Amino acid sequence: DQQVKQNSPSLSVQEGRISILNCDYTNSMFDYFLWYKKYPAEGPTFLISISSIKDKNEDGRFTVFLNKSAKHLSLHIVPSQPGDSAVYFCAASVFNAGNMLTFGGGTRLMVKP
Amino acid sequence: GAVVSQHPSWVICKSGTSVKIECRSLDFQATTMFWYRQFPKQSLMLMATSNEGSKATYEQGVEKDKFLINHASLTLSTLTVTSAHPEDSSFYICSARENRGSYGYTFGSGTRLTVV
């Protein structure tokens, strides 16, 4: 049973446009969500996170939106750059359960020049 | 920021041999480290939680005797793949959290294991 899902395995966007990556979760106990960027043969790099008490968090070109009622979060990248091309994973955790991360399946983003 | 060093970055071994992967927190103490495995084009799957000074907690379906985890100090956790077989070939990644209550997970650079 996948508790965190990223239904789009890939996404292609033109440079300068907005990239929107989506993530859905089923466990209502999750209270913290993170986005990671990963290049092949490398470990994930933390991008941005959001607590369940917020519905939006912004950091430069990256904004994460959380819709708790829909159990949905999204990562917006504006403007997209070719260097953003990578696999993006969303992850969720429960604060009082050891903080283990449950990852989605990942979305491969390709930003075309 | 926090740095997690993972070695080796890649290893090729013969079937039946054992391989040890190290995960070190370089500038912070980590009472808990996590080991993940990633198959090609798939997500990161948590294998086990490594606790300093105590036994690791393994996820369902992960063989404890196959994947030995030792967290002997606050800065070092090791994963040993024993009697490796080709199906153990995968990308293994560790992560550590800087301090209790922090969500500042830092990942190692990963280890590509190929068993021939």
Side-chain angles (χ1 to χ4, degrees), chain A residues 65-86:
Chain A
F65 295 93
L66 175 62
N67 183 334
K68 283 188 295 182
S69 60
K71 294 191 179 66
H72 176 85
L73 64 153
S74 60
L75 174 67
H76 293 212
I77 306 174
V78 182
S80 301
Q81 300 173 353
D84 295 331
S85 298

Side-chain angles (χ1 to χ4, degrees), chain B residues 71-88:
Chain B
H71 195 152
S73 76
L74 287 171
T75 59
L76 173 64
S77 175
T78 60
L79 168 67
T80 301
V81 183
T82 63
S83 187
H85 291 284
E87 57 265 31
D88 298 325

Side-chain angles (χ1 to χ4, degrees), chain B residues 53-81:
Chain B
S54 64
K55 292 183 179 180
T57 305
Y58 290 82
E59 295 300 299
Q60 191 173 9
V62 178
E63 298 177 60
K64 300 178 183 180
D65 296 331
K66 160 70 79 175
F67 300 100
L68 298 180
I69 291 174
N70 184 284
H71 195 152
S73 76
L74 287 171
T75 59
L76 173 64
S77 175
T78 60
L79 168 67
T80 301
V81 183

Side-chain angles (χ1 to χ4, degrees), chain B residues 4-11 19-24 26 35 77-79 94 108-111:
Chain B
V4 173
S5 175
Q6 185 174 343
H7 292 282
S9 56
W10 60 271
V11 57
V19 174
K20 180 184 285 189
I21 303 170
E22 291 189 350
C23 182
R24 294 180 183 272
L26 294 188
W35 287 95
S77 175
T78 60
L79 168 67
C94 69
S109 55
T111 299

Side-chain angles (χ1 to χ4, degrees), chain A residues 19-44:
Chain A
S19 295
I20 300 177
L21 297 97
N22 294 304
C23 180
D24 297 292
Y25 61 96
T26 57
N27 188 343
S28 57
M29 297 296 291
F30 288 141
D31 57 7
Y32 203 82
F33 306 88
L34 309 92
W35 282 95
Y36 285 87
K37 178 180 180 179
K38 186 180 181 301
Y39 294 111
E42 292 185 14

Side-chain angles (χ1 to χ4, degrees), chain A residues 2 31-32 34 36 38-46 49 87 89 93-96 98-106 108, chain B residues 9 32 34 36 38 41-46 49 59 91 93-95 97 99-110 112:
Chain A
Q2 267 191 296
D31 57 7
Y32 203 82
L34 309 92
Y36 285 87
K38 186 180 181 301
Y39 294 111
E42 292 185 14
T45 303
F46 172 74
S49 63
V87 177
F89 290 96
S93 72
V94 180
F95 182 80
N96 289 324
N99 296 129
M100 293 180 295
L101 295 180
T102 301
F103 283 88
R108 181 176 299 280
Chain B
S9 56
T32 304
F34 304 92
Y36 294 85
Q38 184 186 28
K41 298 184 179 180
Q42 294 188 30
S43 185
L44 291 85
M45 301 300 297
L46 179 66
T49 302
E59 295 300 299
F91 192 61
I93 310 173
C94 69
S95 78
R97 183 161 51 87
N99 52 61
R100 187 175 294 276
S102 165
Y103 285 93
Y105 291 92
T106 303
F107 283 82
S109 55
R112 168 72 61 192

